[in-house]
Amino acid sequence: MASDFRFSRSTTIDAPPQRVHALLDDFHEWRRWSPWESLDGHMERTYDGPRSGVGAVYAWRGDRKAGEGRMEVLESEPERVVVDLHFKAPMTARNRVEFTLTPAPTGGTDVEWVMTGPQNLVMRLMNRLWSMDRMLGPDFERGLSRLKTAAES
């Protein structure tokens, strides 16, 4: 019996939503900000479909840290990018990633990064020892910080 998890982090970026969107909508740009891109210097990457937007696909295969998986942009609108994330190794999982972009009162962009998905029994037991916050929090925070740097430069 599986239950769902939801994990999120957010930040404000001093850049217009369209600049932030361009970094999220194009998997080629993820190398500039994704917290996982530097895990394996020899990681193999392949891209398929359109360069950006709905149907864009990114697959990777790396060492034990980087693992193996595939992402596809399912929805791309000025205020939102939704990605299907399929991990193949070191463990299998299928999650939904959603970035929501909202104009900030300060003139920048409020960005929320959310990951949701099913949590099987093994993951629920692991979560009792290592919370999602402890496992993913530092990565999401590092990724948002790098996204902020890339968008503001």
Side-chain angles (χ1 to χ4, degrees), residues 35-148:
W36 301 291
E37 281 293 324
S38 59
L39 287 177
D40 175 4
H42 301 289
M43 187 162 57
E44 298 172 25
R45 298 168 180 88
T46 58
Y47 303 91
D48 198 12
R51 178 167 177 103
S52 63
V54 174
V57 173
Y58 169 64
W60 75 93
R61 181 182 308 184
D63 62 15
R64 295 172 71 208
K65 280 186 173 180
E68 180 180 357
R70 179 184 187 279
M71 295 188 289
E72 181 175 352
V73 175
L74 299 178
E75 298 176 37
S76 180
E77 301 164 5
E79 70 282 348
R80 189 169 78 139
V81 176
V82 178
V83 175
D84 175 48
L85 172 58
H86 184 194
F87 293 105
K88 296 178 182 177
M91 58 191 319
T92 61
R94 191 98 188 224
N95 299 322
R96 178 182 173 102
V97 174
E98 187 169 336
F99 297 93
T100 303
L101 311 176
T102 308
T106 59
T109 305
D110 289 331
V111 179
E112 183 182 28
W113 182 2
V114 177
M115 183 185 296
T116 58
Q119 191 170 246
N120 65 28
L121 181 60
V122 172
M123 290 176 69
R124 284 199 315 258
L125 290 173
M126 280 180 48
N127 196 25
R128 288 182 183 212
L129 299 172
W130 293 87
S131 70
M132 291 295 280
D133 193 71
R134 193 167 169 192
M135 287 189 293
L136 292 176
D139 290 341
F140 272 45
E141 290 162 10
R142 187 171 53 256
L144 286 172
S145 176
R146 291 178 66 182
L147 180 64
K148 181 177 176 71

Side-chain angles (χ1 to χ4, degrees), residues 3-68:
S3 64
D4 290 343
F5 74 88
R6 182 183 191 281
F7 182 80
S8 71
R9 284 291 193 270
S10 59
T11 194
T12 300
I13 296 177
D14 189 22
Q18 58 268 28
R19 186 177 309 157
V20 178
H21 185 272
L23 293 167
L24 301 171
D25 188 50
D26 181 347
F27 288 128
H28 298 85
E29 296 292 336
W30 284 45
R31 291 182 82 169
R32 294 178 60 192
W33 65 267
S34 171
W36 301 291
E37 281 293 324
S38 59
L39 287 177
D40 175 4
H42 301 289
M43 187 162 57
E44 298 172 25
R45 298 168 180 88
T46 58
Y47 303 91
D48 198 12
R51 178 167 177 103
S52 63
V54 174
V57 173
Y58 169 64
W60 75 93
R61 181 182 308 184
D63 62 15
R64 295 172 71 208
K65 280 186 173 180
E68 180 180 357

